[in-house]
Amino acid sequence: MPPLSLIPPGRAGRASPLAHLRRLDCPSELRAIARGGYVTHRVFFADEATAVAAGYRPCARCLPTAYRAWKDDTLARQREERESRPPRKKTV
């Protein structure tokens, strides 16, 4: 499967209320649709940038490289936020 950036415009969508950006041929997506899931929650985007701007994250199953980059970035941001907070006061 090509990375998300190589997917032609209009060929990526979201099919989960959990805001996962998936390829339209994602195996997990197709299994869920076959069971009757996701169909009412499907949203389609013209491109990756639009989906990311809308708050969707890449699917770990069909977009593993994009997912790893997203996860690494998210964890780094969370770590920075934790480290920049003042220490908590201990209560007895």
Side-chain angles (χ1 to χ4, degrees):
M1 287 185 235
L4 185 59
S5 59
L6 297 180
I7 298 172
R11 300 291 304 202
R14 178 199 74 120
S16 164
L18 300 175
H20 296 169
L21 175 65
R22 301 177 187 268
R23 291 172 42 99
L24 298 181
D25 61 350
C26 175
S28 297
E29 167 104 0
L30 297 176
R31 274 193 306 278
I33 290 172
R35 290 189 310 260
Y38 293 159
V39 178
T40 59
H41 300 288
R42 295 184 90 184
V43 177
F44 299 92
F45 299 99
D47 54 36
E48 175 186 6
T50 305
V52 171
Y56 296 92
R57 72 159 179 87
C59 171
R61 169 87 173 150
C62 64
L63 300 167
T65 304
Y67 173 78
R68 277 192 296 277
W70 170 85
K71 187 173 181 178
D72 290 345
D73 182 55
T74 300
L75 292 174
R77 242 180 308 134
Q78 289 173 348
R79 191 176 313 112
E80 288 173 8
E81 288 172 9
R82 266 194 319 271
E83 291 171 355
S84 66
R85 289 185 210 145
R88 293 183 183 183
K89 295 181 181 179
K90 294 184 180 181
T91 57
V92 180

